[in-house]
């Protein structure tokens, strides 16, 4: 066994922890040297893995849970690929790259997915965990001798492979890419290629727009298009479907699948399980301790891999990664539509705004219900919600609140909150947004459900996308309201966090007798969180037609019929899987009119 000692760079706050108790209380001093000391170059303490005896005192003394000390099997030591400096995060192994296939990568955040993407793209040369000096490319290649990775890395470092990397945070693109979309894209590829990509991804209507005026979903598609046009031998897509609706997710997935010619390598990092299952031939799973170390599993088929991940046990590694198994609903939940529980009703609403027209059929939202709103972007979801909140007057029809309808809103795009609150600790921001949040009876549930503990002392602008999402979502839930509107609450969260969010939202809504409207494009998560569904159909930016809220079976059927997509349930985990268009099941289900639940 070898000792692994790490200090999480994001969690360690040497100026806020009350005199660095990790160092003060360490009992081990040898030859005048303590096992843990403050390193001014690193800016935080570092631990000598040789001197440290693993007593765990520092781990318990640190108020921010920044320290991890564990024993690792010796054989893993020989497979350590990269370490971010002394006592920094360690990555073990790399995904096995195979030409002509799409390799999916899944796992919790902060287990090294971005690090892997950067290494595979040749942007980061791994240091083989030797933090005190340069490592030659040859040494890296030698570490993988006898495997396909040797050929891959040799070509990558020799300039024989060109890598294209679609980065994770598309909202940041306007900061460094300026100009008209058509100009930006035409610089990257020839006329024919451009026409083909634009058509495939449905980008015609944004070509004349300026990059700075695009929505998150539009930026995502432009980024995917740019990657495809650049042309390469290796394509790495880091979360390529965030902010896209299900139809667009499939469109992007099909385009990615078609890239994987016999000479190409394609990697997709994705948290939407239905999409990952659809797009990947094989998957690797990451496990370990977020922020401390990540281990890449052997590849397995996409279906088995995702199931093993959900079940929490990786059979070929004999590794338990979670204490419980994640199970989806086999059958749709019942909708409790009792008059006495009505929160707000409306009579058929009509609203025209510029060129856009919206019709919302008569409906009611009940207390205790989590209403999953499904539909494309630009179809009138926000306009409907604003009519409920009384911010927009309908041209026809009425909204009828049954008592006080107080709305709390979690916006879709949140990156600007981090930028506008630079240097403000989460704790301060939370008080500003949600008042005396810790006196709110749901605080313990929100705090533990969304794992806020380690985030409260961090500054808003230091948070990763997933961390910021949890903080902003928590603030929305902690505002006293009767109707919570959560617009894309799962974006940038990993699967574990999505499940936690879904459970927390359902529990809080049921217990507080309020209601939530959740706008979400990850179908597995819509299934997990919703007790009813409201489908939005129509043509984005032209006309929207919303059906009234209905039970999950009918809601999914109406929506998926319109989208022309069918799903089946996996027999082991009951997670929804997309049927291949035109497959036997797809045709059978369409004929039976059962687009979602079919046995
Ligand atoms: P993921 O993409 O799975 O969220 P990353 O690869 O971005 O994970 O990061 C894995 C861990 O490595 C995180 O704890 C992160 O803080 C740490 N890390 C990433 N980049 C650096 C860096 N340049 N220096 C030190 N630590 C880093
Ligand atoms: P969603 O929330 O489903 O993305 P929205 O309700 O925000 O959709 O918008 C629906 C359509 O209405 C979009 O095409 C948008 O451009 C248009 N729209 C929204 N607000 C206005 C407005 N004030 N004036 C004109 N058009 C608008
Ligand atoms: Fe010191 Fe014990 Fe921490 Fe090791 S685990 S650094 S010996 S306090
Ligand atoms: Fe303070 Fe914990 Fe960092 Fe040590 S590891 S300096 S106790 S925050």
């Amino acid at each position: 066994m070898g000792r692994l000692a790490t200090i999480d760079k994001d969690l360690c706050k040497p100026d806020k922890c009350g005199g660095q108790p990790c160092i003060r209380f360490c009992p081990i001093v040898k030859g005048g040297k303590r096992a843990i000391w403050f390193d001014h170059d690193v800016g935080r303490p570092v631990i000598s893995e040789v001197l440290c005896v693993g007593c765990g005192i520092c781990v318990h003394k640190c108020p921010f849970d920044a320290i991890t000390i564990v024993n690792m099997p010796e054989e893993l030591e020989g497979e350590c690929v990269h370490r971010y400096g002394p006592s920094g995060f360690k990555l073990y192994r790399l995904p096995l790259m195979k030409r002509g296939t799409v390799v999916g990568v899944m796992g919790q955040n902060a287990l090294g997915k971005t690090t892997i993407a950067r290494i595979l793209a040749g942007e980061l040369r791994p240091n083989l965990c030797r933090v005190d000096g340069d490592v030659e490319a040859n040494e890296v290649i030698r570490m993988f001798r006898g495997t396909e990775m040797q050929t891959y890395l040799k070509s990558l470092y020799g300039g024989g492979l060109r890598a294209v990397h679609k980065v994770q945070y598309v909202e940041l693109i306007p900061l460094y890419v300026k100009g008209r979309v058509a100009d930006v894209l035409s610089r990257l590829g020839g006329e024919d290629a451009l026409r083909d990509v634009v058509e495939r991804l449905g980008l015609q209507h944004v070509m004349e727009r300026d990059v700075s005026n695009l929505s998150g979903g539009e930026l995502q598609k432009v980024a995917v298009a740019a990657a495809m046009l650049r042309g390469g031998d290796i394509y790495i897509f880091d979360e390529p479907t965030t902010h896209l609706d299900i139809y667009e997710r499939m469109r992007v997935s099909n385009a990615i699948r078609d890239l994987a010619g016999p000479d190409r390598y394609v990697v997709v990092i994705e948290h939407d399980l239905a999409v990952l299952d659809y797009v990947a031939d094989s998957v690797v799973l990451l496990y370990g301790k977020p922020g401390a170390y990540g281990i890449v599993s052997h590849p397995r088929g996409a279906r088995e891999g995702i199931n093993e991940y959900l079940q929490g046990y990786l059979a070929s590694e004999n590794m338990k990664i979670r204490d419980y198994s994640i199970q989806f609903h086999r059958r749709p939940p019942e909708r409790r539509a009792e008059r006495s529980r009505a929160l707000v009703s409306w009579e058929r609403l009509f609203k025209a705004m510029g060129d856009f027209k919206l019709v919302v059929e008569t409906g009611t939202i009940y207390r205790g219900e989590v209403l999953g709103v499904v539909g494309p972007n630009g179809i009138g979801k926000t306009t409907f919600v604003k009519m409920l909140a009384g911010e927009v007057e309908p041209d026809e029809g009425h909204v009828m609140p049954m008592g006080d309808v107080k709305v709390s809103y979690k916006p879709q795009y949140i990156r600007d909150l981090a930028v506008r609150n630079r240097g403000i600790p989460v704790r301060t921001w939370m008080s500003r947004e949600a008042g005396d949040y810790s006196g709110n009876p749901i605080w313990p549930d929100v705090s533990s459900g969304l794992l806020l503990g380690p985030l409260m002392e961090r500054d808003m602008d230091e948070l990763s996308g997933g961390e910021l999402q949890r903080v902003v979502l928590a603030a929305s839930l902690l505002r006293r309201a009767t109707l919570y509107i959560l617009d894309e609450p799962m974006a940038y969260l990993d699967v574990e966090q999505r499940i936690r969010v879904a459970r927390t939202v359902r529990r809080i809504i049921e217990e507080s007798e309020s209601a939530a409207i959740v706008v979400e494009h990850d179908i597995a998560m819509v299934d997990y969180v919703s007790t009813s569904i409201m489908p939005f159909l129509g043509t984005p930016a032209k006309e929207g037609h919303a059906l009234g809220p209905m039970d999950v079976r009918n809601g999914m059927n109406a929506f998926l019929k319109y989208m022309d997509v069918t799903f089946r349930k996996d027999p082991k985990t009951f997670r929804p899987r997309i049927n291949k268009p035109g497959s036997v099941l797809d045709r059978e289900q369409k004929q039976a009119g059962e687009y979602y639940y079919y046995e």
Side-chain angles (χ1 to χ4, degrees), residues 332-337 364-374 506 515-518 525-535 548-556:
E334 294 281 324
R335 186 171 188 227
R336 277 183 74 191
T364 301
I365 298 175
Y366 296 93
R367 291 174 189 278
E369 123 170 306
V370 179
L371 181 61
V373 166
V374 286
R506 266 185 86 149
I517 295 179
V518 177
M525 288 305 136
V526 172
D527 176 317
Y528 202 89
V529 76
S530 309
T531 55
S532 54
I533 297 279
M534 182 166 177
M550 54 185 96
D551 66 36
V552 176
R553 171 180 235 125
N554 286 317
M556 285 292 201

Coordinates of all heavy atoms in Angstrom, one line a residue, residues 332-337 364-374 506 515-518 525-535 548-556:
P332 N -45.3 5.0 -14.0 CA -45.4 6.5 -13.7 C -46.1 6.7 -12.4 O -47.0 6.0 -12.0 CB -46.3 7.0 -14.9 CG -47.0 5.7 -15.4 CD -46.1 4.6 -15.1
P333 N -45.7 7.8 -11.7 CA -46.4 8.1 -10.4 C -47.8 8.6 -10.7 O -48.2 9.1 -11.8 CB -45.5 9.3 -9.9 CG -44.8 9.9 -11.0 CD -44.7 8.8 -12.1
E334 N -48.7 8.5 -9.7 CA -50.1 9.0 -9.8 C -50.0 10.5 -9.6 O -49.2 11.0 -8.8 CB -50.9 8.4 -8.6 CG -51.1 6.9 -8.7 CD -52.2 6.5 -9.7 OE1 -53.2 7.2 -9.8 OE2 -52.0 5.5 -10.4
R335 N -50.9 11.2 -10.2 CA -51.0 12.6 -10.0 C -52.2 12.9 -9.0 O -53.3 12.3 -9.2 CB -51.4 13.3 -11.3 CG -51.3 14.8 -11.2 CD -51.4 15.5 -12.5 NE -51.2 17.0 -12.3 CZ -52.0 17.9 -12.8 NH1 -53.0 17.6 -13.5 NH2 -51.7 19.2 -12.5
R336 N -51.9 13.6 -7.9 CA -52.9 13.9 -6.9 C -53.6 15.2 -7.3 O -53.2 16.3 -6.9 CB -52.3 14.1 -5.6 CG -52.0 12.8 -4.8 CD -51.4 13.1 -3.5 NE -52.4 13.6 -2.5 CZ -52.1 14.0 -1.3 NH1 -50.9 14.1 -1.0 NH2 -53.0 14.5 -0.5
A337 N -54.7 15.1 -8.1 CA -55.4 16.3 -8.6 C -56.7 16.5 -7.8 O -57.8 16.2 -8.2 CB -55.7 16.1 -10.1
T364 N -54.3 23.4 -14.1 CA -54.2 23.7 -12.7 C -52.9 23.1 -12.2 O -52.5 22.0 -12.6 CB -55.3 23.0 -11.9 OG1 -56.6 23.5 -12.4 CG2 -55.3 23.3 -10.4
I365 N -52.2 23.8 -11.3 CA -51.1 23.3 -10.6 C -51.5 23.1 -9.1 O -52.1 23.9 -8.5 CB -49.9 24.3 -10.6 CG1 -49.4 24.5 -12.1 CG2 -48.7 23.7 -9.8 CD1 -48.3 25.5 -12.3
Y366 N -51.2 21.9 -8.6 CA -51.6 21.5 -7.2 C -50.4 21.6 -6.3 O -49.3 21.4 -6.7 CB -52.1 20.1 -7.2 CG -53.4 20.0 -8.1 CD1 -53.3 19.6 -9.4 CD2 -54.6 20.2 -7.5 CE1 -54.5 19.5 -10.2 CE2 -55.8 20.2 -8.3 CZ -55.7 19.8 -9.6 OH -56.8 19.7 -10.4
R367 N -50.7 21.9 -5.0 CA -49.7 21.9 -4.0 C -49.1 20.5 -3.9 O -49.7 19.5 -4.1 CB -50.3 22.2 -2.6 CG -50.8 23.6 -2.5 CD -51.6 23.9 -1.2 NE -52.2 25.2 -1.3 CZ -51.5 26.3 -1.1 NH1 -50.3 26.3 -0.7 NH2 -52.1 27.5 -1.2
G368 N -47.8 20.5 -3.6 CA -47.1 19.2 -3.5 C -46.6 18.6 -4.8 O -46.0 17.6 -4.8
E369 N -46.9 19.3 -5.9 CA -46.6 18.7 -7.2 C -45.3 19.3 -7.8 O -45.1 20.5 -7.7 CB -47.8 18.8 -8.1 CG -47.8 19.4 -9.4 CD -49.1 19.2 -10.1 OE1 -49.5 18.0 -10.3 OE2 -49.7 20.1 -10.6
V370 N -44.5 18.4 -8.4 CA -43.4 18.9 -9.2 C -43.7 18.7 -10.6 O -43.8 17.6 -11.1 CB -42.1 18.1 -8.8 CG1 -40.9 18.6 -9.6 CG2 -41.8 18.2 -7.3
L371 N -43.9 19.8 -11.3 CA -44.4 19.8 -12.7 C -43.2 19.9 -13.6 O -42.5 20.9 -13.6 CB -45.3 21.0 -12.9 CG -45.9 21.3 -14.2 CD1 -46.8 20.1 -14.5 CD2 -46.8 22.5 -14.2
G372 N -42.9 18.8 -14.3 CA -41.8 18.8 -15.3 C -42.3 19.5 -16.6 O -43.2 19.0 -17.2
V373 N -41.6 20.5 -17.0 CA -41.9 21.2 -18.2 C -41.0 20.8 -19.3 O -39.8 20.9 -19.1 CB -41.9 22.8 -18.0 CG1 -41.9 23.5 -19.3 CG2 -43.1 23.2 -17.1
V374 N -41.5 20.2 -20.3 CA -40.7 19.7 -21.4 C -41.0 20.5 -22.7 O -42.2 20.8 -23.0 CB -40.8 18.2 -21.6 CG1 -40.1 17.5 -20.5 CG2 -42.2 17.8 -21.7
R506 N -38.1 17.2 -4.6 CA -39.3 16.5 -4.4 C -39.7 16.5 -2.9 O -40.9 16.8 -2.6 CB -39.2 15.1 -4.9 CG -39.8 15.0 -6.3 CD -39.8 13.6 -6.8 NE -41.0 12.9 -6.4 CZ -41.5 11.9 -7.2 NH1 -41.0 11.6 -8.3 NH2 -42.6 11.3 -6.8
A515 N -45.4 24.2 -4.7 CA -45.3 23.5 -6.0 C -44.1 24.0 -6.7 O -43.6 25.0 -6.4 CB -46.5 23.7 -6.8
A516 N -43.6 23.1 -7.6 CA -42.4 23.5 -8.4 C -42.6 23.2 -9.8 O -43.3 22.2 -10.2 CB -41.1 22.7 -7.9
I517 N -42.1 24.1 -10.6 CA -42.1 23.9 -12.1 C -40.7 23.7 -12.5 O -39.8 24.6 -12.2 CB -42.7 25.1 -12.8 CG1 -44.2 25.3 -12.5 CG2 -42.5 25.0 -14.3 CD1 -44.8 26.5 -13.2
V518 N -40.3 22.6 -13.0 CA -38.9 22.3 -13.3 C -38.8 22.2 -14.9 O -39.4 21.3 -15.5 CB -38.5 21.0 -12.7 CG1 -37.0 20.7 -13.1 CG2 -38.6 21.1 -11.2
M525 N -33.8 12.7 -15.9 CA -34.0 13.5 -14.7 C -35.5 14.1 -14.6 O -36.0 14.2 -13.6 CB -33.0 14.6 -14.6 CG -31.7 14.1 -14.3 SD -31.7 13.1 -12.8 CE -30.7 11.8 -13.3
V526 N -36.1 14.4 -15.8 CA -37.5 14.8 -15.8 C -38.3 13.6 -15.2 O -39.2 13.8 -14.4 CB -38.0 15.1 -17.2 CG1 -39.5 15.3 -17.2 CG2 -37.2 16.3 -17.8
D527 N -38.0 12.4 -15.6 CA -38.6 11.2 -15.1 C -38.5 11.1 -13.6 O -39.4 10.8 -12.9 CB -38.0 10.0 -15.9 CG -38.6 8.7 -15.4 OD1 -38.7 8.5 -14.2 OD2 -38.8 7.8 -16.2
Y528 N -37.2 11.3 -13.2 CA -36.9 11.1 -11.7 C -37.6 12.2 -10.8 O -38.0 11.9 -9.8 CB -35.4 11.2 -11.6 CG -34.9 10.5 -10.3 CD1 -34.6 9.1 -10.4 CD2 -34.8 11.2 -9.1 CE1 -34.2 8.5 -9.2 CE2 -34.4 10.5 -8.0 CZ -34.1 9.2 -8.0 OH -33.7 8.5 -6.9
V529 N -37.7 13.4 -11.3 CA -38.1 14.5 -10.4 C -39.6 14.8 -10.5 O -40.2 15.3 -9.6 CB -37.3 15.8 -10.7 CG1 -37.7 16.5 -12.0 CG2 -37.4 16.7 -9.5
S530 N -40.3 14.5 -11.7 CA -41.6 15.0 -11.9 C -42.7 14.1 -11.3 O -42.7 12.9 -11.4 CB -41.9 15.1 -13.4 OG -40.9 15.8 -14.0
T531 N -43.8 14.8 -10.8 CA -45.0 14.1 -10.5 C -46.1 14.3 -11.5 O -47.1 13.7 -11.5 CB -45.5 14.4 -9.1 OG1 -45.7 15.9 -9.1 CG2 -44.5 14.0 -8.0
S532 N -45.9 15.3 -12.4 CA -46.7 15.6 -13.6 C -45.9 16.3 -14.6 O -44.8 16.7 -14.4 CB -47.9 16.4 -13.1 OG -47.4 17.6 -12.5
I533 N -46.5 16.4 -15.8 CA -45.8 16.9 -17.0 C -46.6 17.9 -17.7 O -47.8 17.8 -17.8 CB -45.4 15.8 -18.0 CG1 -44.5 14.7 -17.3 CG2 -44.8 16.3 -19.3 CD1 -43.1 15.0 -17.3
M534 N -45.9 19.0 -18.2 CA -46.6 19.9 -19.0 C -45.8 20.1 -20.3 O -44.7 20.6 -20.3 CB -46.7 21.3 -18.3 CG -47.4 22.3 -19.1 SD -47.8 23.7 -18.0 CE -48.5 24.8 -19.1
P535 N -46.3 19.6 -21.4 CA -45.6 19.6 -22.7 C -45.8 21.0 -23.4 O -46.9 21.4 -23.5 CB -46.1 18.5 -23.5 CG -47.2 17.8 -22.7 CD -47.6 18.8 -21.6
G548 N -52.2 21.5 -21.0 CA -52.3 21.7 -19.5 C -51.5 20.6 -18.8 O -51.2 19.6 -19.4
P549 N -51.1 20.8 -17.5 CA -50.4 19.8 -16.8 C -51.2 18.5 -16.8 O -52.4 18.5 -16.6 CB -50.3 20.4 -15.4 CG -50.4 21.8 -15.5 CD -51.4 22.0 -16.7
M550 N -50.5 17.4 -16.9 CA -51.1 16.1 -16.9 C -50.2 15.0 -16.3 O -49.1 15.4 -15.9 CB -51.5 15.7 -18.3 CG -50.4 15.7 -19.3 SD -50.9 15.3 -21.0 CE -51.1 16.9 -21.7
D551 N -50.7 13.8 -16.1 CA -49.9 12.8 -15.4 C -48.7 12.5 -16.3 O -48.7 12.8 -17.5 CB -50.7 11.6 -15.0 CG -51.3 10.8 -16.2 OD1 -50.6 10.7 -17.2 OD2 -52.4 10.3 -16.1
V552 N -47.7 11.8 -15.7 CA -46.4 11.7 -16.4 C -46.6 10.8 -17.7 O -46.0 11.1 -18.7 CB -45.4 11.0 -15.4 CG1 -44.1 10.8 -16.2 CG2 -45.1 12.0 -14.3
R553 N -47.4 9.8 -17.6 CA -47.5 8.9 -18.8 C -48.1 9.7 -20.0 O -47.5 9.7 -21.1 CB -48.5 7.7 -18.5 CG -48.8 6.9 -19.7 CD -49.7 5.8 -19.4 NE -49.1 4.6 -19.9 CZ -48.8 3.5 -19.2 NH1 -49.2 3.5 -18.0 NH2 -48.3 2.4 -19.8
N554 N -49.2 10.4 -19.8 CA -49.8 11.1 -20.9 C -48.9 12.3 -21.3 O -48.9 12.6 -22.5 CB -51.2 11.7 -20.5 CG -52.2 10.5 -20.4 OD1 -52.2 9.7 -21.3 ND2 -53.0 10.5 -19.4
G555 N -48.3 12.9 -20.4 CA -47.4 14.1 -20.7 C -46.2 13.7 -21.5 O -45.9 14.3 -22.6
M556 N -45.6 12.6 -21.2 CA -44.4 12.1 -21.9 C -44.9 11.6 -23.3 O -44.2 11.9 -24.3 CB -43.8 10.9 -21.2 CG -43.0 11.3 -20.0 SD -41.5 12.2 -20.5 CE -40.5 11.9 -19.1

